[in-house]
Amino acid sequence: MRGFRNGSSIAALLTALAAVFAAFAVATATATAAGTSANKHSKKLKRAPKPNAKANFTSRGGINQAYAEDTSPGIKLLLVNKAKRIVKKGKSDRFGSKMFYGLKPGRGYRVFSVKGKAVSASKKFAVLKAGKNPPNSFYANKSLHKGLNYVTMRDGTELAMTVRLPSGKDIDDGPFPTLVEYSGYQTAAPHNAFISFLSGTPDDLAPATSTAVGSIVAPLLDFASVSVQMRGSGCSGGAFDLFGLPVTYDGYDAVETVGNQDWVQGNKVGMGGISFSGITQLFTAGTQPPHLAAIAPMSVTDDAYLSSVYPGGIFNDGFQLDWLQERNEDARPAPEGGQAWAKELTTNGDPLGSPPNVPDQHCIKNQVHLQARDGVKQTLDRPFRNNVFKDRSPGTWYSRIKVPVFLLGQFQDEQTSAHFAESLSKLKKNKNVWITLQNGVHADSLGPNSITRWVEFLNLFVADRIPQVPGLLLAQSGALYQGLAKAAAAPVEQSRFASYPESDVAKARDEFKKDPRIRVLMENGTGVPGHPGGIGASWEMGFKSWPVRQAKATPYYFGKKGALTRKKARSSSKASYKADPKARPVSTLTGDHAGGEAWLAQPPYNWQPIAKRKGVGFTSAALTKDTVIAGSSSVDLWLKSSAKDTDLQATLTEVRPDGQETYVQSGWLRASHRKLDRKASTKSDPFPTHFKKDAARLPKRKYSRIRIPVFAAAHAFRAGSKLRITVSAVGGDRAIWHFATLDKGKTKNTILLGGRKPSRIVLPVLAGADAQGTPLPAPTALRGEPSRAYEKASNGG
């Protein structure tokens, strides 16, 4: 995280946006387990003992779970159903708490504590059902004031929520157009992050920069915002359970609570945020809160298994593991662990509080976080896809979203990846959806080519007013992006609707709706002449849907001596390599600051060529015309291996006329995961099931057909350039991903070429499309796409 160079009041909004970019978030979107199966039939369960003592603890039901608090530490606890049968049992932690997961919704549950012959029983409670939401009166009775609030969710858990208003305003100055930002990062910390940024003085009681969209940007755009702290983190109560159903429906409860405030304009709220707080929007909107107006998620994911956790069924033990470990640390009870603001409030209190410097009793009480679920363990315990991942995947909720959506994402996102594009079609029934896609990195969602339309969307669909991009942002945007990423940037433009009178809001909204549903910004990094890697695209394409209907599945066949041709060879041949993950560096960026370096105009990439006999390459002849792709690709191999299983990586590149080679996209697959979901798969987009029941070892001395999904991309291969595909062990082509691979450098993999079993790549080629007369970018210009000197692989391609 970078500090500010001076304390001047340079556009508050600009500084705020810089803070957003400085977040090394994700986001990712990691899936953890959801607990055990539903209750067994009561007749098969042991009868509970008869209570003989009065209970002095609290127990409540949540969504598919129940909890007990304030019991004696280490005491035996029984969860008993209405038939007086023991459903679950366990011991309370040192805080006297215990969670019971995987329960069937219903009434009549109780928790018994057992100490010797003394058996005490709690009051009866109900285990809640997902989607059965409280009446509006539950939310209408809650009142939020400016600053830090504690709000009770449907299951009794308290969440910390901080109300932030435009500068100089108080609640009585409302109503305000309002945004909610919901995150597991440090978001509800009550101090003014902007003051901390300007002074250059760190403040443990200020929100993390990764949540600055809500904590700083929204108020500076004249929105009120409410920063909602995810359960089990910070000063919120409950047990952290990443993207579990209680977390998802907390989003519903938060939106409904905020929407019922009389200081909220029209009693409708929007949601905003990047990465973690972008992903939560998708879950929340899928629950369909009545008071939600629109969402604007940035840099998100869609699949809790495939996106960045187990790409191709191979665990990402680089960025993803680090991120999970950070979430575990954030979920520890304060003050010995947890987030900085929780540590401060539980020990010293808030010097700006009322009264000042008094430990926050709500925050202290809410530190019963020992029942948090270990995201690392639960992820590693589930190397195959199963039903646990379903509700924890944002893509599951896409089709349920009814409100307007403005979504932005990058194909080479070094954190969350391009897999989110696989679920965009699930939004097809929602007419008010606008999606911006581009090459680039995690932070580029707020780049100059998209920020103006983001401001327009929030103003038209949440604030119900004519959009205005603040003048200081227009004047100082270059300085902002230079300070952010040491990169020049295209200028930020004023809204096309800025001159409209306020009476023409409906007209402006109707005109906005005419924008292409899919906007693809091409060659981000070339938008500032003379500054390769500058933030901004030089041209764009618009489409009505994703996948793009104009994209034709176009095969290119692997051939002898590394050839790549439109026609397959009649006779069969083969190419072999050793699967050695140590033959190259595990990633193209290394070190403690690798993630941040990915955002620079010229990252210090170390992208090494395929090592001798450690991979194969197939390269086409020089293209006679531009070839533009948009969508996912498929590398279809006929492969034989000396091992029972092997991990495969396929990488698509452009070999340029100047001898440089530019990265485009990659795909991965563990060979034993090769069975496809036939209904979901297409010619250019295979979808392996990744179910344990479908896993199969490779047969001895026989070739198997294996289709490697290559993540979506949009790229213009220029006339004179060559297409190239390489196949190797995993690793070496991504900025900060590492892989827990099976291969140790001894496995020999052999690929069939031509004949009756031809291997190939199938690309989504846009018929008749070209680069619109734009020149070939400089070798290191494209953001998120490193270049290297082209070297032939051992097989000649």
Side-chain angles (χ1 to χ4, degrees):
M1 179 172 61
R2 296 185 181 83
F4 292 92
R5 295 182 178 179
N6 57 60
S8 67
S9 58
I10 185 175
L13 180 58
L14 301 180
T15 310
L17 290 172
V20 176
F21 279 116
F24 186 56
V26 79
T28 143
T30 305
T32 54
T36 58
S37 60
N39 304 344
K40 297 178 181 178
H41 195 279
S42 293
K43 290 183 179 180
K44 299 180 180 179
L45 300 174
K46 186 177 179 180
R47 180 172 289 277
K50 187 176 181 179
N52 56 24
K54 184 178 180 180
N56 58 358
F57 59 88
T58 302
S59 60
R60 293 282 299 263
I63 297 176
N64 300 125
Q65 63 184 36
Y67 65 91
E69 290 182 338
D70 302 321
T71 72
S72 299
I75 199 168
K76 182 179 179 180
L77 297 174
L78 309 175
L79 179 67
V80 179
N81 64 16
K82 65 180 180 180
K84 300 181 181 179
R85 302 283 177 168
I86 300 172
V87 177
K88 303 266 186 183
K89 58 185 178 180
K91 290 185 177 182
S92 61
D93 60 32
R94 62 182 172 89
F95 291 143
S97 301
K98 176 62 182 175
M99 294 289 303
F100 299 98
Y101 293 104
L103 305 180
K104 182 179 180 180
R107 297 182 179 278
Y109 286 91
R110 290 189 294 175
V111 174
F112 289 12
S113 68
V114 180
K115 185 175 183 180
K117 295 181 179 181
V119 179
S120 60
S122 71
K123 294 181 180 179
K124 293 181 179 180
F125 59 85
V127 170
L128 307 180
K129 182 179 181 180
K132 190 174 182 180
N133 302 311
N136 191 62
S137 59
F138 175 76
Y139 309 104
N141 294 329
K142 302 179 188 299
S143 179
L144 301 181
H145 56 79
K146 184 178 180 180
L148 178 60
N149 301 259
Y150 290 95
V151 181
T152 303
M153 301 292 99
R154 66 184 69 188
D155 64 357
T157 299
E158 271 193 347
L159 296 195
M161 299 186 189
T162 294
V163 175
R164 310 179 197 276
L165 301 178
S167 180
K169 299 294 179 68
D170 207 340
I171 288 288
D172 293 338
D173 297 318
F176 305 98
T178 304
L179 291 181
V180 168
E181 180 163 24
Y182 178 29
S183 179
Y185 296 140
Q186 179 162 312
T187 186
H191 281 193
N192 189 323
F194 180 57
I195 293 176
S196 174
F197 296 153
L198 285 181
S199 67
T201 304
D203 184 352
D204 287 342
L205 290 174
T209 55
S210 52
T211 65
V213 167
S215 63
I216 303 178
V217 177
L220 291 169
L221 290 175
D222 205 31
F223 283 80
S225 71
V226 182
S227 303
V228 179
Q229 189 70 50
M230 189 173 285
R231 68 168 56 206
S233 67
C235 284
S236 287
F240 186 77
D241 185 12
L242 189 63
F243 302 135
L245 285 171
V247 172
T248 293
Y249 281 92
D250 283 348
Y252 179 104
D253 291 353
V255 166
E256 289 304 286
T257 297
V258 176
N260 269 279
Q261 304 304 304
D262 56 13
W263 49 264
V264 171
Q265 178 181 299
N267 295 114
K268 288 283 189 177
V269 302
M271 295 188 76
I274 186 170
S275 197
F276 206 161
S277 48
I279 294 165
T280 56
Q281 296 176 55
L282 300 167
F283 288 100
T284 300
T287 68
Q288 302 177 6
H291 290 83
L292 182 63
I295 63 171
M298 305 173 181
S299 301
V300 298
T301 184
D302 76 313
D303 191 303
Y305 180 79
L306 285 173
S307 291
S308 59
V309 185
Y310 281 98
I314 310 162
F315 181 57
N316 175 1
D317 65 355
F319 167 77
Q320 191 61 58
L321 179 59
D322 292 343
W323 191 83
L324 285 171
Q325 290 171 335
E326 289 171 3
R327 304 290 68 73
N328 281 355
E329 176 59 32
D330 270 4
R332 290 181 59 207
E336 61 265 32
Q339 295 177 348
W341 74 292
K343 294 178 183 180
E344 191 67 18
L345 287 187
T346 55
T347 52
N348 302 317
D350 184 353
L352 303 179
S354 181
N357 301 314
V358 175
D360 185 321
Q361 295 303 310
H362 277 280
C363 190
I364 292 171
K365 185 178 186 302
N366 287 337
Q367 294 308 305
V368 286
H369 291 173
L370 289 178
Q371 296 294 306
R373 309 187 89 172
D374 185 336
V376 174
K377 182 180 184 302
Q378 296 193 66
T379 298
L380 292 176
D381 283 350
R382 287 165 174 80
F384 295 94
R385 180 190 289 281
N386 58 34
N387 288 334
V388 164
F389 292 102
K390 183 178 178 181
D391 289 334
R392 296 171 188 266
S393 292
T396 300
W397 301 83
Y398 276 43
S399 61
R400 308 176 195 180
I401 299 173
K402 306 300 182 185
V403 297
V405 177
F406 189 81
L407 186 149
L408 305 102
Q410 288 68 242
F411 294 120
Q412 289 78 26
D413 190 312
E414 77 284 0
Q415 297 180 19
T416 55
S417 86
H419 197 278
F420 71 93
E422 295 293 328
S423 290
L424 297 181
S425 62
K426 297 177 182 179
L427 292 166
K428 62 184 178 183
K429 292 184 179 180
N430 187 339
K431 294 182 179 180
N432 293 316
V433 172
W434 295 273
I435 298 167
T436 300
L437 307 172
Q438 63 183 336
N439 67 287
V441 295
H442 194 63
D444 287 355
S445 286
L446 274 173
N449 296 127
S450 54
I451 191 169
T452 297
R453 296 199 187 192
W454 177 73
V455 171
E456 289 177 345
F457 175 83
L458 292 175
N459 276 279
L460 292 171
F461 291 92
V462 179
D464 193 33
R465 66 189 178 195
I466 294 297
Q468 290 276 353
V469 179
L472 286 174
L473 173 58
L474 299 175
Q476 300 292 335
S477 62
L480 159 68
Y481 293 115
Q482 183 64 45
L484 158 72
K486 296 182 180 178
V492 172
E493 297 179 351
Q494 180 56 273
S495 169
R496 60 198 136 155
F497 308 118
S499 62
Y500 284 32
E502 283 298 329
S503 58
D504 281 351
V505 173
K507 178 183 176 182
R509 191 160 42 239
D510 288 343
E511 291 188 23
F512 184 95
K513 289 181 179 181
K514 295 177 183 179
D515 284 356
R517 183 180 179 90
I518 307 295
R519 184 183 182 218
V520 181
L521 303 177
M522 296 296 292
E523 298 179 343
N524 176 24
T526 65
V528 187
H531 296 274
I535 305 171
S538 53
W539 57 288
E540 63 182 80
M541 301 184 293
F543 303 101
K544 294 181 179 180
S545 65
W546 190 276
V548 178
R549 293 191 182 97
Q550 299 94 315
K552 181 182 179 181
T554 305
Y556 288 81
Y557 293 91
F558 300 175
K560 293 180 179 179
K561 298 181 180 180
L564 185 67
T565 60
R566 289 285 288 112
K567 293 184 178 180
K568 63 180 179 181
R570 292 183 179 180
S571 59
S572 178
S573 59
K574 58 187 178 181
S576 300
Y577 70 94
K578 282 288 183 71
D580 185 359
K582 294 184 178 180
R584 296 189 294 160
V586 293
S587 57
T588 59
L589 292 173
T590 57
D592 293 340
H593 304 290
E597 289 175 341
W599 301 355
L600 302 179
Q602 297 294 309
Y605 289 121
N606 180 23
W607 186 35
Q608 292 295 309
I610 295 295
K612 188 175 182 180
R613 291 187 292 276
K614 299 301 173 67
V616 291
F618 302 92
T619 306
S620 73
L623 300 171
T624 58
K625 60 180 181 180
D626 293 351
T627 298
V628 183
I629 65 168
S632 302
S633 303
S634 177
V635 171
D636 304 340
L637 303 179
W638 284 97
L639 181 135
K640 179 178 69 175
S641 181
S642 64
K644 296 175 181 178
D645 203 359
T646 186
D647 292 333
L648 304 166
Q649 176 174 278
T651 295
L652 175 66
T653 62
E654 178 179 6
V655 179
R656 302 155 46 95
D658 59 10
Q660 294 293 302
E661 180 181 13
T662 298
Y663 176 88
V664 177
Q665 193 54 283
S666 295
W668 303 267
L669 187 66
R670 179 156 288 172
S672 59
H673 289 224
R674 63 191 178 277
K675 185 172 181 179
L676 299 180
D677 180 334
R678 297 293 180 183
K679 291 183 178 180
S681 299
T682 67
K683 289 182 179 179
S684 64
D685 193 4
F687 195 92
T689 67
H690 296 287
F691 292 139
K692 185 175 182 179
K693 67 182 180 62
D694 293 335
R697 293 177 176 179
L698 293 168
K700 290 183 179 180
R701 295 181 292 278
K702 291 184 179 180
Y703 287 92
S704 299
R705 190 172 191 239
I706 299 175
R707 298 186 63 193
I708 305 172
V710 178
F711 284 175
H715 189 85
F717 297 86
R718 295 304 200 286
S721 288
K722 302 175 182 179
L723 304 173
R724 190 190 193 205
I725 187 74
T726 58
V727 180
S728 66
V730 297
D733 291 343
R734 289 280 298 186
I736 56 174
W737 283 13
H738 307 166
F739 295 91
T741 180
L742 300 171
D743 295 313
K744 306 300 180 185
K746 297 181 180 180
T747 298
K748 180 181 178 181
N749 292 332
T750 302
I751 299 170
L752 275 182
L753 315 173
R756 297 177 61 185
K757 295 181 176 180
S759 296
R760 64 184 186 175
I761 182 171
V762 181
L763 297 174
V765 177
L766 298 177
D770 58 28
Q772 300 182 12
T774 58
L776 177 69
T780 61
L782 300 183
R783 291 181 63 78
E785 301 184 55
S787 284
R788 65 189 177 193
Y790 167 62
E791 294 183 17
K792 292 182 178 181
S794 299
N795 68 316

